[in-house]
């Protein structure tokens, strides 16, 4: 890796191994610009349900601290998540609740990009808008555009791979924009 390489980490808001969103997240490293490395953070399914009593009595679970550290060390965070009941999946909200308690806050000032895929037409748009509201608390730097809401994703994924050429091209352009966004964020620190 060169000095100018940006390292992004992906956080998937689904526990399903073969989820549409996990498939999109797995495709991102091949779609990234040459100066970008993208690595998965691991499963948020390792986080217990958030309970302040547990946190106060036992401290933070190792999985939470490891993920917080990896987010803090990265140049940017990519969240790829489905929409559940017009909002953020509970497992993602739980992970964010845990991460919100870590100090120093790993998402503060962190460039964040959001993507979603759905069998429906609007591709998870409502989840993205709720997630943006949640990320205000973290003081994250969420990239506004271009947005990636992959509708009718079942037609764009085959045999566990993102096969739709137009979608792959668009996500490549979004990653290029995020690389520029993250580099600019570093320059302004």
């Amino acid at each position: 890796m060169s000095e100018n390489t940006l390292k992004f980490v992906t956080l998937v808001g689904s526990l399903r191994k073969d989820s549409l969103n996990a498939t999109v997240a797995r495709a991102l490293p091949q779609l990234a610009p040459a100066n970008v490395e993208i690595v998965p953070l691991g499963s948020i399914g390792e986080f217990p349900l958030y309970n302040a009593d547990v946190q106060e009595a036992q401290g933070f679970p190792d999985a939470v601290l490891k993920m917080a550290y990896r987010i803090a060390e990265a140049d940017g965070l990519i969240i790829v998540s489905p929409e559940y009941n017009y909002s953020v999946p509970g497992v993602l909200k739980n992970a964010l609740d845990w991460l919100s308690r870590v100090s120093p806050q790993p998402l503060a000032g962190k460039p964040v990009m959001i993507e979603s895929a759905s069998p429906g037409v609007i591709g998870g748009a409502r989840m993205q808008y709720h997630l943006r509201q949640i990320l205000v608390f973290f003081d994250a730097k969420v990239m506004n555009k271009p947005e990636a809401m992959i509708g009718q994703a079942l037609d764009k994924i085959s045999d566990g791979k993102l096969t739709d050429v137009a979608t792959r091209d668009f996500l490549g352009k979004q990653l290029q924009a995020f690389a520029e966004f993250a580099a600019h964020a570093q320059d302004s620190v």
Side-chain angles (χ1 to χ4, degrees):
M1 249 174 33
S2 76
E3 237 177 77
N4 297 326
T5 298
L6 295 169
K7 182 176 181 182
F8 299 150
V9 291
T10 55
L11 176 61
V12 177
S14 174
L15 299 181
R16 291 182 58 239
K17 180 181 136 206
D18 295 326
S19 81
L20 299 171
N21 289 275
T23 300
V24 170
R26 285 191 301 269
L28 296 179
Q30 298 97 33
L31 305 175
N35 66 325
V36 171
E37 176 190 14
I38 299 176
V39 295
L41 281 171
S43 176
I44 54 179
E46 297 176 18
F47 290 22
L49 290 175
Y50 180 75
N51 181 335
D53 292 340
V54 171
Q55 178 193 342
E56 290 171 14
Q58 301 171 16
F60 287 94
D62 286 342
V64 172
L65 292 177
K66 286 177 185 174
M67 189 172 288
Y69 175 79
R70 291 186 63 206
I71 291 169
E73 292 296 307
D75 297 306
L77 171 65
I78 302 170
I79 300 174
V80 188
S81 179
E83 176 179 304
Y84 288 179
N85 303 315
Y86 290 10
S87 191
V88 176
V91 68
L92 177 57
K93 180 65 168 75
N94 181 63
L96 292 171
D97 288 344
W98 271 110
L99 291 168
S100 73
R101 305 309 192 263
V102 176
S103 181
Q105 178 41 243
L107 277 83
K110 182 71 55 186
V112 176
M113 182 175 84
I114 303 170
E115 296 179 337
S116 55
S118 169
V121 177
I122 62 172
R126 294 169 291 216
M127 179 283 302
Q128 287 203 23
Y129 299 139
H130 284 182
L131 181 55
R132 287 174 183 278
Q133 291 174 327
I134 293 166
L135 291 171
V136 168
F137 174 80
F138 290 88
D139 199 24
K141 293 183 179 181
V142 180
M143 184 175 80
N144 291 322
K145 293 183 181 177
E147 296 175 303
M149 300 164 188
I150 305 166
Q152 299 176 323
L154 292 173
D155 298 334
K156 298 170 182 170
I157 292 173
S158 178
D159 296 326
K161 295 193 184 327
L162 180 62
T163 54
D164 184 71
V165 174
T167 302
R168 291 176 66 84
D169 289 347
F170 179 80
L171 293 180
K173 291 175 185 168
Q174 187 196 33
L175 286 167
Q176 179 62 48
F178 188 53
E180 293 167 12
F181 180 81
H184 178 71
Q186 284 182 343
D187 293 342
S188 63
V189 173

